[in-house]
Amino acid sequence: MKTLLFVDHAFHTSTASSQFFIDLLKRRFDVKIAHIDPPSNIAEETIALAASMDVVVIWQMDYIAPVFLALGIPTVVVPMYDGSATMPDLHWIWSAKAQFVNFSFTLHHRVAGLGNKSFLARYFTPVVSQSERATFKTGLRAFLWQRRPEHGISAPAIMKLLHGQIESLHVHNAPDEPHLDTRAYKVSSTSSCTVTQTSWFPNAADYHAALAQANVFIAPRRAEGIGMALLEAMSRGMLIVACDEPTHNEYISNWLNGVLYNPDEAHSVTITADQAESLGHLAYETAKIGRQNWELQALELLDVVENCEAPSKLDIPNIAAFSRALSTSYYSGITAYTTFLIKHADLVGSMSGCPVATYIPVGSNGASSPHDMHHERGDAPWLEGARVPLTPGRADAYVSSGQLEHVGSAAWVTGHGCEIRFRTDPIATAFSNLKLSVMVPAGMGSQTLIATLNEWTLGVRELAEGASEVNFDLPLHIQRGYSLLRLQATTVCQGVSDDVLVSFGINDILFS
């Protein structure tokens, strides 16, 4: 039996959110577990232990992957959307020799779009028996684990969202920030429904007992890595009310098997008893079918882990010192971490086998100063008639990263993607839709396109070979006077000329 080191965040010793994955790995591997309590560094004993293992699996803390890759160890990385969605491209490029396992559709396409190996997993918990399912005959009874009230998901906010429609609200008051003063998030004693409260439960059975008294589940955070609490609620057939962000909106289809909402919009949601029962029923059916699929996918996932390839070992004289420097920069904030990545660009390139120059911001020390950024934004061209012009010569001013190859009627994107900068007046004109007229090269078959605007993922579209049009909704809150549109694809081929690899062609970029 192969040996495997599972490197996990120490916080999960209390939440047990990674236990299902550990149990799965134990079916095929002799598993050892090492915990890291950030911002502490990786213990030298852990590094030494890893060197004797057949494979290392890193749960959530994807930033430490280069340490194990440098040792030449087959490394599987399981990042989480809520923690890593905003990481710079260099973060992912550095670990290009790792095997990624993503539980978020959005993050999977981000990682794969940069050329990395990523396996998309879709987990579901076992469903409860029919007799244990939530019922809706006696009104709506809501449950809120108040994990992040400072992010807008609090008892008063939920009372406003479901105003006058719930008979009771149970608040499990156990915030992620243990020293957070939650007095500001208490519900008024004059509220229209019964409000009860608990704090941290000593065991999972107590939590599940409290959950079983409710039939409405409020997702406790804006975004999740997997969303174990939400999945448990789905498995009970509860009405799910969740923020419209990953991974919630990757499990919930709005008004089909749950309700998605924007916590920044002050309005109430009207839900009838029949709707609540129907949504809860479809949530249960989703979980039931999803669990069956997961049992099959789990076997494939074990194969992926077992067949993870070993990278070339690098000669880093003091791997422990390198590990400390990496951890310190990461927990010093995104600016310090990005600077660390840029300063080690040569190492990133040698470890990944990828040219990294196109991922490094322009600047004397590799990072853009505020003056440089202001100058760059001021030079961004304006949209022309709500369009980005794509004719030869004129398109170059809009492309800030990547390259376009003009062949025929289309501007073909070389490599996996490009970034397009432009200016608008969001006060005078607020757009609601982006339409892309695109082409997939002959012989490619299909293509996956990921579009982001100002670091907000607009969506992922599957494109058939040939010409097609795709549309994306544009939320008002992401629109800026200066904007950056990133278009990424997962596959390249020699489709338009002999010496250039392209991913897709663009005929039109239209905002309306």
Side-chain angles (χ1 to χ4, degrees), residues 258-339:
V259 176
L260 299 173
Y261 75 102
N262 182 350
D264 297 323
E265 295 181 358
H267 64 84
S268 60
V269 175
T270 302
I271 306 171
T272 67
D274 288 343
Q275 285 176 321
E277 187 170 14
S278 175
L279 293 169
H281 170 74
L282 287 178
Y284 181 85
E285 291 300 317
T286 301
K288 183 178 179 181
I289 296 172
R291 181 63 186 185
Q292 294 170 352
N293 292 337
W294 163 253
E295 291 292 353
L296 296 175
Q297 190 187 44
L299 300 176
E300 184 180 358
L301 178 53
L302 286 173
D303 290 339
V304 169
V305 175
E306 186 170 24
N307 296 324
C308 180
E309 298 178 357
S312 299
K313 185 176 180 179
L314 293 183
D315 182 19
I316 297 180
N318 190 335
I319 193 70
F322 168 71
S323 170
R324 287 193 297 272
L326 173 61
S327 297
T328 300
S329 70
Y330 182 84
Y331 285 102
S332 296
I334 190 65
T335 301
Y337 179 55
T338 302
T339 301

Side-chain angles (χ1 to χ4, degrees), residues 147-226:
R147 296 185 65 176
R148 285 291 187 180
E150 73 275 24
H151 291 175
I153 307 175
S154 63
I158 297 307
M159 292 293 291
K160 186 174 184 179
L161 180 72
L162 302 176
H163 180 68
Q165 300 175 79
I166 54 176
E167 293 189 356
S168 64
L169 172 64
H170 181 85
V171 181
H172 181 48
N173 200 19
D176 287 358
E177 295 293 336
H179 303 297
L180 180 69
D181 186 352
T182 60
R183 288 177 295 180
Y185 307 109
K186 288 187 176 180
V187 177
S188 168
S189 58
T190 60
S191 62
S192 57
C193 75
T194 303
V195 179
T196 55
Q197 179 175 300
T198 52
S199 56
W200 184 254
F201 290 123
N203 57 68
D206 293 334
Y207 169 82
H208 292 136
L211 188 65
Q213 301 302 311
N215 54 17
V216 179
F217 178 81
I218 313 299
R221 300 197 295 182
R222 285 179 175 254
E224 289 287 356
I226 300 178

Side-chain angles (χ1 to χ4, degrees), residues 474-493:
L474 298 178
L476 183 62
H477 71 274
I478 69 169
Q479 298 184 43
R480 308 283 187 268
Y482 168 90
S483 290
L484 190 68
L485 174 67
R486 180 184 295 121
L487 302 175
Q488 291 179 292
T490 56
T491 309
V492 296
C493 73

Side-chain angles (χ1 to χ4, degrees), residues 56-68:
V56 169
V57 175
I58 301 171
W59 185 266
Q60 182 173 331
M61 296 177 296
D62 29 290
Y63 72 94
I64 64 174
V67 175
F68 301 100

Side-chain angles (χ1 to χ4, degrees), residues 319-366:
I319 193 70
F322 168 71
S323 170
R324 287 193 297 272
L326 173 61
S327 297
T328 300
S329 70
Y330 182 84
Y331 285 102
S332 296
I334 190 65
T335 301
Y337 179 55
T338 302
T339 301
F340 180 87
L341 292 172
I342 293 170
K343 287 183 177 180
H344 291 80
D346 290 342
L347 181 59
V348 174
S350 61
M351 288 183 67
S352 65
C354 301
V356 299
T358 57
Y359 301 98
I360 299 177
V362 177
S364 59
N365 64 348

